[in-house]
Amino acid sequence: MSMPFYVAPEQMMKDRADYARKGIARGRALVALVYDDGIALVAENPSNNLRKISEIYDRIAFAGVGRYNEFDTLRVAGVRAADIKGYQYSRDDVDARGLANQYGQILGQIFTHEMKPMEVEILVAEVGEQPSGDHIFHVLYDGTVMDEVGFCVVGGDADRVNSVISEADLSNLTLPAALTLSVSALAGEDRQIPITELEVAVLSRSLGRRCFRRLSDAEVGALLEPAS
């Protein structure tokens, strides 16, 4: 009878992490950035039909990079969980922290127990009634949940984009300034991203109960034009 191969647990975890990171790095980066009226979410996305950024609940948005079918499955699960909690209790009881922790548990369980980890990184953003209530949670492929301050970059060449944004002055950003900074960081020095390949949405506290709004190409162009 043949003996099964033994793989040390630490080696198995390392191999799964390397596999997930390589899949995520093939995707294009995404930025969430706090501005004076809320949170802007900007992604490089050449598809007109497959969305990286979506609404989860009244004041909460979801964004993902990596394998589309995997992070869209997580998006749907988040919408259902938020709807059920809001219906059973109160709409005010639905928050980004709870959703991020649920996502972390799902991704951690899959990473630990399944043969193939999910090749995704996601973020859950919530806009508060005051700037102090804005939150961005970054959830990794292994279930790690991080509370980001000011901005968050996921996917693609995240390290380069992160370094560009971290060197900028992020105090009192307007929406045009936030979009200009995000797009220039995503593009880098050697290229420009066509407006048709940008996916942009905002969580704006001035919109009322439902704070999520997706911006059209014309709106994005108008917001970027003054700084060009």
Side-chain angles (χ1 to χ4, degrees), residues 32-88:
L33 181 60
V34 173
Y35 70 102
D36 57 6
D37 190 45
I39 302 172
L41 300 104
V42 184
E44 184 178 0
N45 183 8
S47 173
N48 292 321
N49 300 311
L50 304 181
R51 298 297 191 185
K52 291 184 176 183
I53 304 168
S54 300
E55 181 183 26
I56 288 283
Y57 211 60
D58 294 344
R59 311 181 72 86
I60 303 172
F62 170 97
V65 295
R67 293 183 67 91
Y68 176 80
N69 64 315
E70 293 182 348
F71 71 70
D72 196 58
T73 299
L74 294 172
R75 177 191 66 82
V76 173
V79 171
R80 289 174 176 167
D83 282 343
I84 290 172
K85 187 173 183 179
Y87 178 76
Q88 289 181 333

Side-chain angles (χ1 to χ4, degrees), residues 131-162:
S132 59
D134 295 343
H135 298 289
I136 302 173
F137 295 97
H138 181 189
V139 189
L140 302 181
Y141 53 85
D142 62 355
T144 302
V145 180
M146 295 178 289
D147 183 7
E148 305 286 1
V149 178
F151 72 98
C152 178
V153 183
V154 297
D157 51 350
D159 291 339
R160 179 192 62 78
V161 178
N162 187 83

Side-chain angles (χ1 to χ4, degrees), residues 120-209:
V120 298
E121 281 188 27
I122 63 174
L123 64 85
V124 184
E126 178 180 9
V127 64
E129 294 182 359
Q130 301 296 328
S132 59
D134 295 343
H135 298 289
I136 302 173
F137 295 97
H138 181 189
V139 189
L140 302 181
Y141 53 85
D142 62 355
T144 302
V145 180
M146 295 178 289
D147 183 7
E148 305 286 1
V149 178
F151 72 98
C152 178
V153 183
V154 297
D157 51 350
D159 291 339
R160 179 192 62 78
V161 178
N162 187 83
S163 66
V164 173
I165 296 179
S166 61
E167 292 173 358
D169 181 8
L170 304 182
S171 59
N172 300 317
L173 283 176
T174 62
L175 180 55
L179 291 186
T180 300
L181 174 59
S182 299
V183 173
S184 63
L186 290 171
E189 297 180 355
D190 301 329
R191 67 189 183 105
Q192 289 187 336
I193 303 175
I195 290 176
T196 55
E197 295 185 8
L198 289 171
E199 181 182 355
V200 180
V202 295
L203 285 170
S204 172
R205 68 183 107 257
S206 62
L207 290 178
R209 182 169 69 85

Side-chain angles (χ1 to χ4, degrees), residues 83-110:
D83 282 343
I84 290 172
K85 187 173 183 179
Y87 178 76
Q88 289 181 333
Y89 301 98
S90 166
R91 303 187 77 90
D92 294 335
D93 291 329
V94 182
D95 62 357
R97 180 180 291 102
L99 286 170
N101 287 333
Q102 289 185 32
Y103 282 136
Q105 292 170 14
I106 293 171
L107 287 168
Q109 182 76 7
I110 292 172

